[in-house]
Amino acid sequence: MATIAGSRPAVCQDGLTSLELMIALAIAAVLLCIGAPSMMVMVQAQRLTVTVNDFLAAIHLARAEAVRRGERVDLVPADGSDWSAGWTIFVNRSGNRMPGAEDALVFRGPPLPTRLRIASTFTDAAHPYLAFAANGRTRTDASVQQPQAGSISFALDGRIRKIKLNFQGRARICDPAAEPATC
C-alpha cells in the first residue's frame, strides 16, 4: 500500500459501537418477547403428543406380548388407580391388577408431565386397566369373552387427545377438536 509522505495509512476499525450494540440487543429482546409465548405453546403441544404416542406404544406392546406369550397381559396404572403416576405392563398370571412375584414384568412407563391429565372410560369402569387375551383382543376381569373397549383422554392446557380402543383391541389416536363426530 502506497502512502503519501507524512500521512498515515488508513486504519480499518472492526467492531460495534455501544449504540449499535444496544440497538441490536433491544431488537433481540423484542423478538424474544414476541416468540416466547408461541414457543411455550409449541412445547406443551409436543409434550402432549409425546405422552399420547408413548401410551399408544404401551398399548401395542401389551397386545403384542399377549399374542407372543399366549397369556393374558395387563396394562395398569403404576400405583393401581391413577394413570398420572405412570403405567406398568405385566403378564398377569396371578389374576390381580398389580404385578406380583409370579407375574412377569414387561415394561414400566414414566409418570406424566406436570399439568397433563389422563382419564379412562372403559367397558369395565370399576378400575382403570387394559387386559389383552392370548388372541390379542381386549378382555375384562369378569370374562375373556367380554371385550374391554373405550377411550383414554389426555388433556394439557386446553388441548385434548384421545386414544380410542375398539372391541378387537385395536387402538387409534384422535383429536376431538378436529374430528368431533368420530372421536
Side-chain angles (χ1 to χ4, degrees):
M1 175 182 213
T3 59
I4 300 177
S7 69
R8 294 186 193 171
V11 178
C12 183
Q13 294 182 346
D14 290 333
L16 299 174
T17 65
S18 298
L19 181 62
E20 290 170 333
L21 184 60
M22 288 187 350
I23 290 172
L25 287 175
I27 291 171
V30 167
L31 291 175
L32 184 63
C33 288
I34 291 170
S38 59
M39 180 68 155
M40 286 306 297
V41 168
M42 185 183 75
V43 167
Q44 294 296 43
Q46 188 64 24
R47 188 170 286 151
L48 178 64
T49 300
V50 166
T51 303
V52 171
N53 287 338
D54 284 349
F55 199 89
L56 182 65
I59 291 171
H60 289 304
L61 176 62
R63 185 175 189 222
E65 283 295 311
V67 171
R68 185 177 76 80
R69 294 172 185 251
E71 297 181 78
R72 174 182 171 164
V73 175
D74 285 12
L75 170 62
V76 298
D79 68 357
S81 63
D82 184 14
W83 292 108
S84 298
W87 47 84
T88 303
I89 301 171
F90 67 100
V91 178
N92 193 343
R93 295 181 181 125
S94 64
N96 299 336
R97 276 184 215 88
M98 292 303 292
E102 63 275 6
D103 300 323
L105 182 65
V106 176
F107 181 78
R108 281 188 199 266
L112 294 181
T114 309
R115 297 192 335 254
L116 197 145
R117 301 290 168 243
I118 183 172
S120 57
T121 308
F122 292 120
T123 308
D124 180 6
H127 303 282
Y129 74 96
L130 280 174
F132 290 92
N135 63 4
R137 293 181 181 223
T138 58
R139 58 160 294 166
T140 62
D141 282 340
S143 169
V144 76
Q145 299 299 321
Q146 183 181 9
Q148 177 82 307
S151 65
I152 303 116
S153 298
F154 299 81
L156 179 64
D157 294 341
R159 286 183 177 74
I160 298 173
R161 295 291 181 276
K162 284 186 178 183
I163 296 177
K164 302 281 286 185
L165 191 68
N166 70 15
F167 289 110
Q168 296 175 337
R170 293 188 183 129
R172 69 177 179 90
I173 297 173
C174 64
D175 180 357
E179 46 187 306
T182 61
C183 193

